[in-house]
Amino acid sequence: MDFSRHTAAVILALLLLVGVPVFKTGYIQGKLSDTDAVSSATEIIEQPSGEYVVLINRDRHADSGNLKAWESFFSGGDIGVVFEDISCVVADSDAPGFEMAKSFQSRLPENQMTIRLEDPILMRSKADHGLYDVMILSKEMYEATGGDRTVNTGRDCIIKSGSKKP
């Protein structure tokens, strides 16, 4: 009788120690759900009005051969099928830049583009040293943080564009 109670207590303790964290992380629910990793977003967000600048780090995309596809995509074209994830950095005080990044993200398959908010000074310092993948800035933020003078144009692909809205 003592052995069966002891065994039941050990099993219950193991279930609590292992089971609760596993269920709290959502890992099991994610594996059991019917989510498609390459499906497109359900709703495409329209581009906000205004002008914006996109910086693409050539060094990070030259080997993959997808640089031209990303240039076309951020210039307003279609990307087609690219099996490469990107990380986009936006200044935390740049609301129009964040809206533009969300618009681009909505045109890609789910989880292909992650958006990170950073301090503008730190962000431009990373641009100077090539420590970024893609940066999206409103024209005002781009000019306020130094514009072309802090960008290494040999490494950076710069796309300047106006809004698609009339």
Side-chain angles (χ1 to χ4, degrees):
M1 188 64 148
D2 288 331
F3 178 73
S4 61
R5 278 194 294 185
H6 179 70
T7 304
V10 168
I11 290 173
L12 181 62
L14 286 175
L15 282 174
L16 287 174
L17 287 173
V18 176
V20 171
V22 168
F23 281 108
K24 284 291 191 182
T25 61
Y27 178 77
I28 298 293
Q29 292 86 346
K31 289 294 184 183
L32 296 176
S33 71
D34 211 13
T35 306
D36 183 8
V38 295
S39 63
S40 296
T42 56
E43 183 179 331
I44 294 179
I45 300 170
E46 291 293 322
Q47 289 184 355
S49 60
E51 295 179 298
Y52 61 94
V53 176
V54 178
L55 301 174
I56 303 173
N57 190 337
R58 290 181 196 269
D59 295 342
R60 297 221 176 160
H61 299 283
D63 294 339
S64 67
N66 294 324
L67 181 62
K68 293 290 182 200
W70 289 119
E71 285 178 26
S72 171
F73 174 73
F74 287 114
S75 296
D78 190 26
I79 193 165
V81 177
V82 173
F83 295 106
E84 178 181 53
D85 294 342
I86 59 170
S87 176
C88 176
V89 180
V90 179
D92 57 9
S93 56
D94 189 11
F98 181 71
E99 288 179 34
M100 185 59 68
K102 293 298 281 183
S103 175
F104 283 127
Q105 185 183 40
S106 73
R107 294 177 42 214
L108 291 170
E110 186 175 344
N111 300 325
Q112 188 169 8
M113 179 174 142
T114 57
I115 299 174
R116 256 188 9 254
L117 297 174
E118 282 193 4
D119 178 70
I121 305 300
L122 178 63
M123 192 172 106
R124 290 312 298 244
S125 176
K126 286 183 177 183
D128 291 343
H129 301 293
L131 301 175
Y132 72 98
D133 196 6
V134 173
M135 285 188 186
I136 298 178
L137 301 146
S138 65
K139 182 181 175 191
E140 294 79 17
M141 181 61 71
Y142 180 72
E143 291 172 351
T145 58
D148 290 330
R149 76 177 193 286
T150 60
V151 175
N152 176 353
T153 56
R155 175 184 53 238
D156 304 310
C157 172
I158 303 171
I159 301 169
K160 295 180 183 179
S161 181
S163 170
K164 299 290 182 188
K165 288 185 170 182

